[in-house]
Amino acid sequence: MEILRSKEEKRILTGHIVGIEDEYYKLQNKVIPCAIIWYENTKVLIPITHLNIKKESKSLIRGMIGAEVDFIVIEYDSTTNIAIASRTLAMDLRKELEIPKLKVNDVVKVRIVAVARKYIIVDFYGIEVTIPADNLKHTFIVNAKDYYLVGDTLIVRIKKLDIKNNIFELSRKDLIENPYKNIRKYITEGGEYIGKVIGYPKQRSGVIVQLDNSDVTCLVRIPAHFNSIPHLFDKVLIRIGEIHENRKLVYGVIKRIIGGWFYDWKRYWN
C-alpha cells in the first residue's frame, strides 16, 4: 500500500541502498545502473539518472552503499513486485517543504550519504551539503573514514543558510567540547609526552602527532641530527615547545622514536 500511495500521492518513502544492478529502464529505453533498495518485500530500483548525483558513475553509487535515502515511486509492476523510484523528486519535495522552516544556529539531524578522506556529504533536508574536516572536529583529521560511516546520522549546527544563492554551511564541531580549552591540564611547555604519528603536513616541515593522553594533535619538528623521519603510526616521544589554545595549535620537537610497525619489522628480519 505504501508503494502505491507513494506513486499516486507523491509520498516520500525511505530506505537503505544495498546494491547496484544494471537494469533495462523503459522510460529511457536503455540499460542503466540502478541503486537497489528493498522496501519490505518490494524491490525498488533508483536509476542513476534519478539519484541526484553530479556524475552518472557507478563509483558514486558504490560510495553511497549503506546510505539511507528518500525516494518517491514513479513506476510499479505488481506482477514482478518491482518499483522504479526517484530520489531527486523526493529531495526536491523535502527542500521545498522543510528548508524554509530552518534558520541559522538551528541544531538538526542529517544523514551521511558519502565519506571521503577530508570531508563527508550529508543529506540536509533534500540538499546534499559537504562538511569539510575543519567543521567536523577541533583536532586534525587524517581520514574522515576513520570516524564516520555512510548511513549514520549526525547532529550538526546550521552556520550559513542562504536559500536564494544555494549556500549552506553545517558544523559538527560546534556541538563538541573543544579539547584545547583544558589542554594545560594534560600537557605543559617543556614537558615530554608519548604520541603517535598520524600525518605529514603539506606546507610545513615535520609531522603531526596525536598525543596519547588527550585528543589534541601537535605539529612536531624533526631535529636535524635524525637520520630519518618517523613512519606513519610510529610511537614517538615529543617535547612540547609552545601551546596556543586560542589558535588550536601546539608545537613541539621529537626527542625519540619509540617504535612502530617499521621498527618491529626491522627487528624481526635482523
Side-chain angles (χ1 to χ4, degrees):
M1 290 297 295
E2 290 186 13
I3 291 289
L4 291 174
R5 284 178 179 174
S6 176
K7 178 179 180 298
E8 294 168 1
E9 303 172 15
K10 303 302 180 187
R11 290 194 179 191
I12 295 175
L13 303 179
T14 302
H16 288 85
I17 297 176
V18 297
I20 309 168
E21 292 181 6
D22 291 328
E23 294 285 344
Y24 175 68
Y25 183 35
K26 67 179 182 180
L27 295 184
Q28 291 196 355
N29 194 30
K30 63 179 180 179
V31 174
I32 62 175
C34 297
I36 306 301
I37 291 175
W38 280 97
Y39 194 83
E40 296 182 357
N41 65 337
T42 300
K43 185 177 186 179
V44 179
L45 306 177
I46 304 182
I48 196 169
T49 51
H50 286 271
L51 265 176
N52 198 56
I53 54 180
K54 295 179 181 178
K55 190 166 104 178
E56 294 184 12
S57 166
K58 263 191 180 180
S59 63
L60 294 182
I61 306 180
R62 292 187 190 105
M64 295 178 68
I65 296 293
E68 183 182 63
V69 299
D70 299 320
F71 61 91
I72 292 175
V73 175
I74 55 179
E75 293 289 335
Y76 176 63
D77 186 334
S78 58
T79 303
T80 60
N81 199 24
I82 293 177
I84 304 293
S86 171
R87 180 181 179 231
T88 303
L89 290 177
M91 293 181 72
D92 288 344
L93 183 57
R94 286 199 72 197
K95 178 181 177 180
E96 178 186 343
L97 297 177
E98 300 181 39
I99 292 294
K101 301 176 184 177
L102 302 174
K103 59 184 183 298
V104 172
N105 288 325
D106 278 355
V107 174
V108 297
K109 181 187 288 187
V110 295
R111 295 178 296 201
I112 301 174
V113 296
V115 181
R117 288 184 60 85
K118 294 299 181 182
Y119 62 86
I120 66 174
I121 298 175
V122 301
D123 184 343
F124 171 61
Y125 297 100
I127 300 171
E128 286 196 349
V129 176
T130 298
I131 306 180
D134 288 346
N135 279 356
L136 291 172
K137 293 172 69 71
H138 293 280
T139 53
F140 181 79
I141 293 179
V142 177
N143 190 347
K145 294 180 180 181
D146 295 333
Y147 303 94
Y148 307 97
L149 294 174
V150 172
D152 285 352
T153 58
L154 200 64
I155 305 298
V156 298
R157 186 186 299 280
I158 301 174
K159 300 286 285 183
K160 292 182 182 178
L161 184 67
D162 186 343
I163 301 174
K164 182 179 179 180
N165 295 305
N166 203 36
I167 297 174
F168 306 94
E169 182 181 347
L170 306 176
S171 173
R172 171 58 180 168
K173 75 176 181 182
D174 282 11
L175 306 176
I176 301 174
E177 182 179 0
N178 180 0
Y180 287 90
K181 277 188 176 180
N182 300 313
I183 186 56
R184 291 181 185 272
K185 176 181 177 181
Y186 302 97
I187 63 173
T188 186
E189 283 97 339
E192 297 185 7
Y193 309 93
I194 290 175
K196 177 174 67 176
V197 176
I198 63 168
Y200 303 87
K202 292 182 179 180
Q203 299 177 347
R204 299 180 181 180
S205 60
V207 296
I208 297 172
V209 173
Q210 171 73 63
L211 294 175
D212 277 7
N213 64 343
S214 81
D215 292 331
V216 167
T217 52
C218 308
L219 181 61
V220 180
R221 180 173 56 85
I222 302 172
H225 65 269
F226 271 50
N227 293 326
S228 62
I229 65 173
H231 293 76
L232 195 63
F233 304 131
D234 280 348
K235 285 284 187 178
V236 292
L237 179 68
I238 67 171
R239 183 178 187 274
I240 302 298
E242 301 175 42
I243 301 174
H244 302 280
E245 297 98 318
N246 294 336
R247 295 166 54 199
K248 298 180 183 177
L249 291 173
V250 177
Y251 297 102
V253 61
I254 288 184
K255 301 300 293 182
R256 184 159 63 92
I257 300 175
I258 297 173
W261 69 268
F262 179 76
Y263 296 92
D264 293 338
W265 177 84
K266 285 206 305 183
R267 286 197 294 270
Y268 174 80
W269 284 104
N270 289 338

